[in-house]
Amino acid sequence: MKACIIPGSFDPFTLGHLDIVRRASKLFDKVYVAILVNSAKHGKFDFAQRKRIAELSCAELSNVEVLTADGLLVDLCRALSVKMIVKGVRNDRDFSYEFDMAEMNRKLAPEIETVFMPCSPEFACVSSTFARDLMKYEKDLRGIIHPDAIEYIYSLS
Ligand code: PNS
């Protein structure tokens, strides 16, 4: 079975993330969306909420499973016997950050490959950071977050 992991902090999962997951779900038999800790970021949503938001967003994709973990990404890959990490990139800033991360992961686990997938142009400006800002000022999340996830987010407040 061909499987990949799409890791991220997903705080929250956006339509940009969904673009990458949907396209990966056509290339792999199984796609794990892994919600992990980015030690440089302070979370808005807790892990259970992030998981629910990602699950609602990916509900139509039958070969996608959302999970959370608090350890290293490569340890999760090994535990799941997954040899491929897929990361979406929007621009050169993303690429530079992801390149360093891929290099660190390669040092930790040389048998695991990272591949980069460019985001579709319509999602180039979509980010979890913008989504959090829009929430803070009670603005419309349509076009940034999946409609079912928006409903769930509103139900939290
Ligand atoms: O969406 P993000 O914040 O860019 O995702 C980054 C994330 C969570 C994938 C990354 O920080 C991560 O892999 N965290 C788990 C710990 C780890 O494996 N760190 C990298 C090697 S030290």
Side-chain angles (χ1 to χ4, degrees), residues 69-98:
D70 58 8
L72 287 178
L73 170 59
V74 292
D75 289 341
L76 180 65
C77 290
R78 283 176 172 161
L80 296 167
S81 301
V82 172
K83 296 263 190 293
M84 182 87 71
I85 296 165
V86 172
K87 279 296 274 193
V89 286
R90 289 166 298 190
N91 48 44
D92 54 344
R93 287 187 309 279
D94 274 359
F95 182 76
S96 163
Y97 168 76
E98 296 300 345

Side-chain angles (χ1 to χ4, degrees), residues 43-138:
K44 169 173 174 58
F45 294 99
D46 67 30
F47 262 26
Q49 291 167 340
R50 288 186 220 183
K51 185 167 187 273
R52 188 77 190 121
I53 292 166
E55 281 172 345
L56 287 166
S57 307
C58 299
E60 77 198 62
L61 306 170
S62 58
N63 60 339
V64 173
E65 183 177 336
V66 181
L67 44 87
T68 60
D70 58 8
L72 287 178
L73 170 59
V74 292
D75 289 341
L76 180 65
C77 290
R78 283 176 172 161
L80 296 167
S81 301
V82 172
K83 296 263 190 293
M84 182 87 71
I85 296 165
V86 172
K87 279 296 274 193
V89 286
R90 289 166 298 190
N91 48 44
D92 54 344
R93 287 187 309 279
D94 274 359
F95 182 76
S96 163
Y97 168 76
E98 296 300 345
F99 188 89
D100 290 349
M101 185 83 72
E103 204 44 45
M104 179 54 74
N105 285 329
R106 191 213 303 278
K107 283 196 171 83
L108 292 166
E111 79 281 12
I112 298 169
E113 285 290 349
T114 298
V115 297
F116 300 122
M117 188 182 277
C119 78
S120 300
E122 62 268 39
F123 300 113
C125 296
V126 170
S127 73
S128 298
T129 306
F130 289 154
R132 290 193 301 274
D133 279 349
L134 292 173
M135 276 172 236
K136 186 171 171 190
Y137 299 104
E138 298 179 354

